[in-house]
Amino acid sequence: DAGVTQSPTHLIKTRGQQVTLRCSPKSGHDTVSWYQQALGQGPQFIFQYYEEEERQRGNFPDRFSGHQFPNYSSELNVNALLLGDSALYLCASSLGYARLSYEQYFGPGTRLTVT
Amino acid sequence: AQRVTQPEKLLSVFKGAPVELKCNYSYSGSPELFWYVQYSRQRLQLLLRHISRESIKGFTADLNKGETSFHLKKPFAQEEDSAMYYCALGEGYGNNRLAFGKGNQVVVIP
């Protein structure tokens, strides 16, 4: 099991553009969370998907949206990119939403640079 | 407002010396606390969680609700402990979303 995988590894976009990041959860996991990690900061929760629906959301604008597919993989979309969106975007998967689930497995991240 | 505070950004210790990383939290409910670690060129991974009350790689952490703290300790630092350490608070439904502190960079000097 490769664990949580993310693609691409890194990308560069221009202000105003749109970007899509992808995540495949660890085998057997059904819940996917996305985090943004700015340089020198801890990860910040964006949102969480379970059963193809957004279940929880952090303090991020509507420019940030997502999707979960029937195979539990997920996408993070960011529209109208700002320079401040430059960060490492982490995907984490876990098992179960309705029951308490404590361990989240993180992917290697996608480094997004907005110029 | 910062819900998890890790006051020291960089901590340098000599091999064999004790390590203590401080973490304070702010949460109105019953907290679930975790320590995550990121070694060089590796992904973020769970080190330990307070409900397990276990020692991982010699590290322990005790939840002190009175002081709202969850400090990470190890009596004798090893070179392989050099890493970035994040304290995290489980929030939301099922405590399944994490609020992280800013992290501590630990450097163990041989």
Side-chain angles (χ1 to χ4, degrees):
Chain A
D1 180 17
V4 179
T5 61
Q6 293 185 244
S7 63
T9 304
H10 55 269
L11 72 167
I12 301 173
K13 290 287 187 177
T14 303
R15 231 173 355 174
Q17 286 187 316
Q18 179 264 345
V19 69
T20 297
L21 310 182
R22 296 176 176 82
C23 171
S24 291
K26 180 178 170 63
S27 178
H29 284 184
D30 55 11
T31 303
V32 174
S33 302
W34 286 91
Y35 293 82
Q36 180 195 66
Q37 186 173 20
L39 199 61
Q41 303 294 316
Q44 189 173 359
F45 178 80
I46 302 174
F47 44 52
Q48 185 178 76
Y49 277 83
Y50 173 74
E51 290 189 336
E52 303 179 47
E53 289 188 16
E54 181 183 294
R55 300 290 179 161
Q56 302 188 68
R57 189 178 183 92
N59 189 25
F60 278 81
D62 292 343
R63 297 187 298 109
F64 289 77
S65 63
H67 190 78
Q68 186 179 35
F69 300 94
N71 67 352
Y72 308 123
S73 67
S74 177
E75 289 182 348
L76 163 65
N77 301 292
V78 187
N79 295 322
L81 283 167
L82 303 173
L83 296 179
D85 295 332
S86 295
L88 180 68
Y89 288 85
L90 297 171
C91 172
S93 72
S94 55
L95 177 61
Y97 178 77
R99 60 179 183 269
L100 294 180
S101 173
Y102 298 130
E103 183 163 4
Q104 296 196 15
Y105 289 79
F106 283 82
T110 293
R111 172 73 62 187
L112 172 65
T113 302
V114 182
T115 63
Chain B
Q2 188 74 28
R3 297 184 292 284
V4 179
T5 305
Q6 294 180 251
E8 296 138 347
K9 192 65 178 176
L10 175 64
L11 184 68
S12 297
V13 297
F14 286 100
K15 179 181 175 181
V19 177
E20 181 177 19
L21 302 181
K22 297 187 185 299
C23 173
N24 288 91
Y25 66 90
S26 175
Y27 191 61
S28 57
S30 182
E32 300 290 350
L33 275 299
F34 310 84
W35 277 98
Y36 278 79
V37 62
Q38 187 167 27
Y39 301 103
S40 179
R41 298 188 183 87
Q42 295 187 27
R43 60 187 65 188
L44 197 60
Q45 59 186 286
L46 179 66
L47 179 62
L48 54 79
R49 49 195 146 184
H50 91 272
I51 59 167
S52 299
R53 293 184 170 276
E54 56 191 348
S55 174
I56 304 293
K57 298 183 179 182
F59 286 96
T60 59
D62 291 320
L63 178 61
N64 186 323
K65 293 185 179 180
E67 297 182 358
T68 61
S69 68
F70 188 57
H71 303 328
L72 184 68
K73 300 177 183 179
K74 184 170 183 177
F76 308 104
Q78 303 298 315
E79 290 180 63
E80 55 265 30
D81 297 328
S82 294
M84 197 73 185
Y85 292 81
Y86 294 95
C87 183
L89 170 69
E91 298 183 311
Y93 185 81
N95 292 330
N96 209 11
R97 80 182 202 208
L98 299 173
F100 286 88
K102 293 185 177 182
N104 295 119
Q105 178 72 52
V106 172
V107 176
V108 180
I109 304 166

